[in-house]
Amino acid sequence: MRKVMHLLLNRVFITAIIVLIQIIFFMMEILIWSNYYVAIAAILRLLSLAVIIYLIYRPNNPAVKLAWIIPIMLFPLVGGIMYLAFGHVIISKKLWNKMQTADKLMRENMPDNESVWRKLQAENQVAANQSKYISEFSGMPLWENTNTTYYSDGLSCWKQMLKDLDTAKKFIFMEYFIIEEGTMWNEILNTLEKKAGQGVEVRLIYDDFGSVLKLPKRYEQYIESKGIKCIAFNKLIPFMSVILNNRDHRKITVIDGKIGYTGGINMADEYINYKKVFGYWKDAGLRLEGEAVWNFTAMFLQMWNVARDTDDDYSKYRYNFNEISDARGYVQPYGDTPFDDETLGENVYLNMLGYARKYYYVYTPYLITDNEMFTALKLAAKRGVDVRIVTPGIPDKKSVYWLTQSSYQNLIESGVKIYQYTPGFIHSKCVLCDDETAAIGTINFDYRSFYHHFECGVFLYDADAITELKTDMEAAFDVSELITLDWCKEKFMKLNVIGPILKLFSPLF
């Protein structure tokens, strides 16, 4: 049943159904609707035309506009419906007002860390410029006094998280895209229930669409029965119109405001390799302990206030650090939202690529992005930057895998090195640049993450996690297959025939 539901909710499958409807429409016109065809077709074509005009005048990336206009023109009768189903962001006035109020409240509770930024500016102007951009468009300031620990696999991250959760005294906040019953989640839930029984305030947000095939119906009520406040994101009426697009893809844990986690790791057994689905599942986790955790605390409260229509007192959850810290570097957690015109997650990656001098390494499970990103990757390689991208050796979705691979040849010809992670599926979302800066979080190199999802990440400068990430990446290169032009030629049909056709529908993936 779950496999059937997974198929029914797959975007590509739904697109195929929409195209099939267009074919059936033509057949019905011949057999039955000859008297009504002109009127019905005119209405549907007008809808598609209206969508195209709307796209032209939106302040979006031109490449994204074109990526949608092509399938709409190919299927004029159902193209407009396809866009409304997968590409459009519909925001009610009520929801917009709630989000503006929540954002204003969050920004009012963020400290002015100008002195920290000035200190970074004196050390590295380029990194300071990146930090200034993040602060301006996410509202999240830069911090020192924060220890960072990078985890190269879900198991070690999960084990440390369990220990940290057990130390909670005041509150635990958790926000995840996928939750599935099994060893990983059940042990965490047992700890959350125990802490709630001890008087610790425990809150959970999970994306209902992301977990729809993983959890029983009305699971949030079951969680609430354990004394844990819970939100199934996307079940709320204001979000129903955008359920297929604007998912909560964040992964955040906050413990007492002093310890925080993020990365690619969801709460399901494949993430700790207790269940093998696509070979060895490689993922990344990042643990923060220190002042920068406040950004994640505020980010969670902002989402909670929008979803629950509440107005939390942020100061209740602010941890006052009096401990002497020996932490290195600068740390800046940030969030990205689909409800503005700023593709912050992509721009952080692009900025790092633009100032890279020696190397630019990437972990991503998907490589399906716009022309600006591809051009920047190629230009960096052409000017001598060692650009390396690690993608899965075993895919989780075949069509997405083929689309990712269809870009290999063009990138390789420009000097980009592509590695496929031989042991299995790599789900990490990390960028490392020049031994100085890194971005670790939930943001894939694809349209979904850049344009449609709620995401989060951490910008790092000269922090311990950067060294740990580099060690992990160098080890990953050693066990991965370096893709060559000969390899691409052997896959000619898939890469040069099927791939370009799939690219016409790239925003759907």
Side-chain angles (χ1 to χ4, degrees), residues 21-29 33 37 40-41 77:
I21 289 172
Q22 174 154 331
I23 296 172
I24 293 173
F25 184 89
F26 283 123
M27 296 176 62
M28 296 296 286
E29 181 268 333
W33 293 343
Y37 171 75
I40 296 173
L77 293 182

Side-chain angles (χ1 to χ4, degrees), residues 77 81-82 132 145 212 241 257 286 319 335 348 357 481 483:
L77 293 182
I81 297 173
M82 193 185 304
K132 178 67 74 175
N145 304 320
V212 68
S241 60
L286 182 66
Y319 184 88
V348 168
R357 301 184 307 277
E481 177 186 10
I483 305 302

Side-chain angles (χ1 to χ4, degrees), residues 55 58 60-72 83 87 343 346 369-372 447 450-452 504 506-507:
L55 280 167
R58 282 206 72 194
N60 272 7
N61 186 320
V64 178
K65 294 179 183 181
L66 186 61
W68 270 112
I69 288 172
I70 289 173
I72 291 172
Y83 175 76
T343 54
E346 180 182 27
T369 187
D370 52 38
N371 186 63
E372 280 78 1
Y447 283 92
F450 290 161
Y451 292 94
H452 293 301
L504 296 175
S506 54

Side-chain angles (χ1 to χ4, degrees), residues 371-416:
N371 186 63
E372 280 78 1
M373 179 59 75
F374 282 123
T375 300
L377 288 166
K378 292 187 291 184
L379 183 58
K382 288 177 180 178
R383 71 172 193 267
V385 177
D386 182 8
V387 180
R388 304 187 189 188
I389 304 172
V390 183
T391 62
I394 300 176
D396 63 337
K397 305 176 186 71
K398 283 291 181 65
S399 57
V400 176
Y401 194 50
W402 293 347
L403 188 51
T404 290
Q405 292 178 330
S406 69
S407 300
Y408 284 180
Q409 183 170 332
N410 189 240
L411 289 170
I412 293 170
E413 287 172 343
S414 298
V416 177

